[in-house]
Amino acid sequence: MQQERCGWAMSDTVEQVYHDKEWGVPSRDEQYLFEMLNLEGAQAGLSWRLILTKRPAYKEAFHQFDPDKCARMTDEELEHIRETAAIVKNKLKIGGVRKNAIAFLKVQAEFGSFANYIWGYSDGKPIINHWTDMSQMPAKNDLSERISKDLKKRGFIFVGPVIIYSYLQAIGMIDDHVITCPYHTENRN
């Protein structure tokens, strides 16, 4: 059987590169965990392709997603980003990066790292699904519901259960590559 990448990443180079190099690959890198949390939130109501194409502008605007620097951003800096950066201009989403940075730093202080916190939900191991078709993949699950609820209590925003499910896929805590995809955990060399 010929292996083909997941259907959502078949037609666009930006999505293909993200799919092949990042999606479903376990990460415990703090800056990456913070970046993906905010990019997934920025995507709410929009296409992931749009966010991926704007990713370099997001990284430039938000100090490469350094949570310490983002937590100290002023209202003026955030407004300047809204006016000038080539990102989604939603004021709540832009301000959400600072709000999430503050909450992220609190989680780091409490758990030693955000990775310890988030990966604790899966005992430090990726959850490897075995979908034969993308249509089997849920938009959310019990785990994303639980994490979403806790993140909201901790002061994070744009962290609903659907966003969090996508986040867990992005950071490799959930491998939702279809089983015929060469990038599924069990097919990688």
Side-chain angles (χ1 to χ4, degrees), residues 124-144:
K125 298 178 191 98
I127 298 160
I128 302 166
N129 289 318
H130 295 88
W131 312 124
T132 56
D133 188 89
M134 296 296 292
S135 66
Q136 297 171 309
M137 189 186 314
K140 62 182 178 176
N141 65 6
D142 290 342
L143 178 62
S144 72

Side-chain angles (χ1 to χ4, degrees), residues 37-69:
L37 187 68
N38 285 288
L39 291 180
E40 290 291 350
Q43 187 227 341
L46 303 168
S47 77
W48 185 236
R49 184 187 180 291
L50 174 70
I51 300 304
L52 286 176
T53 59
K54 293 181 177 290
R55 189 178 187 183
Y58 271 99
K59 289 176 94 157
E60 182 181 339
F62 292 107
H63 307 285
Q64 306 302 310
F65 286 102
D66 179 321
D68 291 305
K69 290 178 180 174

